[in-house]
Each structure stands twice: as C-alpha cells, then as structure tokens.
Amino acid sequence: MSDVAVQEPDWAATLHANGLKATQPRLAVLRTLSRHPHSSAERIVELAQPRPATLSVQSVYNVLADLGSRRLVRSLELPHQPGLYELDHGDNHHHAVCTRCGAVADVPCAVGDSPCLTPVDNHGILVEIADVLYRGLCRNCRDLPDTTENTNQTGVTV
Amino acid sequence: MSDVAVQEPDWAATLHANGLKATQPRLAVLRTLSRHPHSSAERIVELAQPRPATLSVQSVYNVLADLGSRRLVRSLELPHQPGLYELDHGDNHHHAVCTRCGAVADVPCAVGDSPCLTPVDNHGILVEIADVLYRGLCRNCRDLPDTTENTNQTGVTV
DNA sequence: CGATTAACTTTGAATTACTCAAAATTGTGT
DNA sequence: ACACAATTTTGAGTAATTCAAAGTTAATCG
C-alpha cells in the first residue's frame, strides 16, 4: 500500500517559475504555510524545524517578503498581534477571528457580493479592495462559561 | 463682529461626566482629535503644542487608553503604520485609505446593510463585529501620473 | 561534474511603536 | 488655600520587524 499523503504543490517548480531559487528556507516556509495557515514568522520557525535544522527568524522575514512580492504569500495584520501569513490562493477571501482564543478562520468574499467586489467612490477614494475582519466567538469559546479557562487561550484579545 | 469659531463640545464637562479629571493633556488630546481625526500618538503630540507647552508621548498613550475605555476615543490600526485615533461618535463607521498617500476617510457603515450589521456564523465563529478597511486611490493621487511625486506622500504603502 | 558567481541566508545591531513602574505634579472637594 | 488621590512625567524595557555586512548555497557554465 502507498502512503496516503496530502497532495502538495511542487514548490521548487513554483519558485523557479517566479524567478526564485529553490532554497531550503523558502521550501520550508511554503511547506509550513501549506500545513499551517495564519502562522506568524516566529511560529513558522518553530513549525519548520527540523528541516532545515536551523532557520533564522530573519530568513523567514526575508522569505516572506520575497514570496509576498511574487504574490505566493499574503499577510494578515490583526491589531496587537504579530503579522500572520498564508499562501495566496488568488481568491480575495477575508478572515474571522475569535476575540477570546484568537482562532482564525477563512471567510469567502461573498456577502451578497458586496462590499468586496463593488468599487465605490467614497469621499474621493476610489475603492479597489475591501479588507474585512470579522470578530466574534468561536463555537468552543461560546460553549464555555465566562469564568472558564480556554484551552486555546493565547492571552490576546483581538 | 464675533469670531466664526467651530462649535466644540465642552470637553471638561464630558470628562467629568465620565468620572475623569479635566486635565490639560486630556483636553489637548480631545481638542486635537476633534480638529485632526485619524492622528497617531506622535502626531497628536506635535499638533497639540503649544497648549500645553509640553506633552509627553507617554501621556498621550495614557490619555488615549483612559478615553478609549470610556468610549470617548477609538483607534484604527492600519498595517505597517502606527495606530490612528479618532473621537468615538458611537456610529460604527469604517475607513477608506489611499494606498499611495495614506490619506484616510470615513465611510458610513451601510453597503446594503451588510456585512457590518448582520451576524453570520462562519466556520463556527459567530460574528458580532465586522471591521472593513477599503483601499484605493484618492482623487489627488489618481490624477497624478505614476512617476510624479505626491505632496501627501508619507512613504507608506498601506 | 566541479568551479564560478550572483542570489540568498545568517549574524548582529538598530528601529519603531509601544508598555511598565516609580517619582513628581496637578485637579478638585473641603 | 490644603490635602490627597488621580494623573503625568521620566526613564527603562519589550516585541516585532528592518537594516547592513559577512558568510553560504543553488544553479549555470565550462
């Protein structure tokens, strides 16, 4: 029997197609984001180990910048938290974040087709993109009484 | 003839009504935000001078935190920029930001009534708030050719 | 297939936007 | 005016990120 492995893109080929060398740090970052979307730079370093055995935070920042400029990766900035990164699948999806545990979920960009897709002229600014951040409580946190400690608790109120 | 002054709220009374002392730094921050919405803490220090003659950045942060907890002021976090502050008028408006010059404009929360007001259950997260950030080009930047320097240029791409 | 070299990563220092804590000051009720 | 708690300031500290120079590596050429 063959292993039932999750099909992953050929990252080396993707990098080459974008005029980038297929280096270990870049492959590690792409593999990690593929398995763990919405990860911070520090988290990527943790998750990427031990392949390669060492990977500096600065390299991750460099890699994320390079991949971001090629539209392979995009970032998500939540208030009072380090930036989170995910593979850029070309869709313009938004995010829902739990204000209690910090869990992040993708939300398709289709709430009656607006406001994401309709360019609006607001006070002279011709809108091309709408970034929407939904805030609320995830199922798990909703079910817990106010006083209960949450296992997912990050200490951050987003 | 009397001066044609813009009518400003009685900030001292507002502070007292919220159980806060009407101190010079607090009055200066409120006056400044009233005249210059979407200002950062550093900018508030610049704009508030010379009344009082000295005002520390830390005081501004303290004041903003106090006023924020009383819902007199709210903040707006743009990626890769210091937090911006504005008076909280109780409406739940959003913001449009020019990706070229960084200009910020208020946008009423009413794009077909959604997505701001309709709670949606997305991937288990019961949405209570939707923060929308519109990005685009302001009239001024749209009229300028790509190569032209923008007078409002802050160096920041938001 | 091994050398060359431009691209890339790492190391270490610097910066920005804040936060924290203790000391000095000020607003307000008496 | 006085007193005292509330507030501001001063100074140090922190987290996330950026900058710059030296070292390393991937891919191309011989």
Side-chain angles (χ1 to χ4, degrees):
Chain A
M1 292 190 205
S2 64
D3 284 351
V4 184
V6 176
Q7 186 67 24
E8 261 201 70
D10 183 346
W11 293 126
T14 304
L15 289 168
H16 290 150
N18 282 273
L20 295 174
K21 288 186 178 177
T23 65
Q24 288 307 313
R26 282 170 182 166
L27 294 169
V29 167
L30 287 168
R31 253 190 275 110
T32 303
L33 286 183
S34 170
R35 291 166 158 84
H36 303 94
H38 317 131
S39 297
S40 69
E42 295 276 0
R43 187 105 185 86
I44 290 171
V45 172
E46 292 166 21
L47 290 166
Q49 312 295 4
R51 198 171 250 281
T54 66
L55 173 65
S56 65
V57 192
Q58 287 79 351
S59 288
V60 172
Y61 279 112
N62 290 346
V63 168
L64 290 172
D66 289 343
L67 299 182
S69 72
R70 299 321 199 296
R71 295 279 131 87
L72 295 174
V73 157
R74 67 174 195 161
S75 76
L76 157 69
E77 309 287 334
L78 302 183
H80 317 121
Q81 263 197 259
L84 304 182
Y85 298 84
E86 65 187 348
L87 298 180
D88 189 342
H89 298 294
D91 60 352
N92 183 30
H93 72 260
H94 302 308
H95 295 96
V97 58
C98 175
T99 51
R100 195 164 194 247
C101 71
V104 177
D106 290 339
V107 178
C109 176
V111 188
D113 281 21
S114 57
C116 326
L117 310 171
T118 317
V120 199
D121 193 345
N122 283 298
H123 296 255
I125 296 185
L126 181 65
V127 171
E128 283 160 4
I129 305 172
D131 285 341
V132 187
L133 178 64
Y134 298 95
R135 299 150 180 273
L137 285 179
C138 70
R139 176 73 41 74
N140 191 31
C141 290
R142 243 180 299 153
D143 293 344
L144 294 170
D146 288 347
T147 49
T148 307
E149 276 298 319
N150 184 328
T151 47
N152 286 343
Q153 187 72 40
T154 58
V156 182
T157 301
V158 281
Chain B
M1 288 192 207
S2 65
D3 283 353
V4 183
V6 177
Q7 187 68 24
E8 261 202 69
D10 183 347
W11 291 125
T14 305
L15 288 168
H16 290 150
N18 281 273
L20 296 173
K21 289 185 178 177
T23 65
Q24 288 307 313
R26 281 171 182 164
L27 294 169
V29 168
L30 286 168
R31 253 190 276 110
T32 302
L33 286 183
S34 170
R35 292 167 157 83
H36 304 94
H38 318 130
S39 296
S40 69
E42 295 276 2
R43 188 104 184 85
I44 290 171
V45 172
E46 292 167 21
L47 291 166
Q49 311 297 1
R51 200 170 247 282
T54 66
L55 173 65
S56 66
V57 191
Q58 287 79 351
S59 289
V60 172
Y61 279 113
N62 291 345
V63 168
L64 290 172
D66 288 344
L67 300 182
S69 71
R70 299 319 201 296
R71 293 280 132 86
L72 295 176
V73 156
R74 66 173 195 162
S75 77
L76 157 68
E77 309 287 334
L78 301 185
H80 316 121
Q81 263 197 262
L84 304 182
Y85 298 86
E86 64 187 349
L87 297 180
D88 190 342
H89 298 294
D91 59 352
N92 184 28
H93 71 260
H94 301 308
H95 295 96
V97 58
C98 175
T99 49
R100 193 160 196 249
C101 72
V104 177
D106 290 339
V107 179
C109 177
V111 188
D113 281 22
S114 59
C116 325
L117 310 172
T118 317
V120 200
D121 193 346
N122 283 299
H123 296 254
I125 296 185
L126 181 65
V127 171
E128 283 160 2
I129 305 172
D131 285 339
V132 186
L133 179 64
Y134 298 94
R135 300 151 178 273
L137 284 181
C138 70
R139 176 72 42 74
N140 191 31
C141 290
R142 241 180 300 150
D143 292 344
L144 293 171
D146 289 348
T147 48
T148 308
E149 276 298 318
N150 184 329
T151 49
N152 286 343
Q153 187 72 40
T154 60
V156 181
T157 302
V158 281

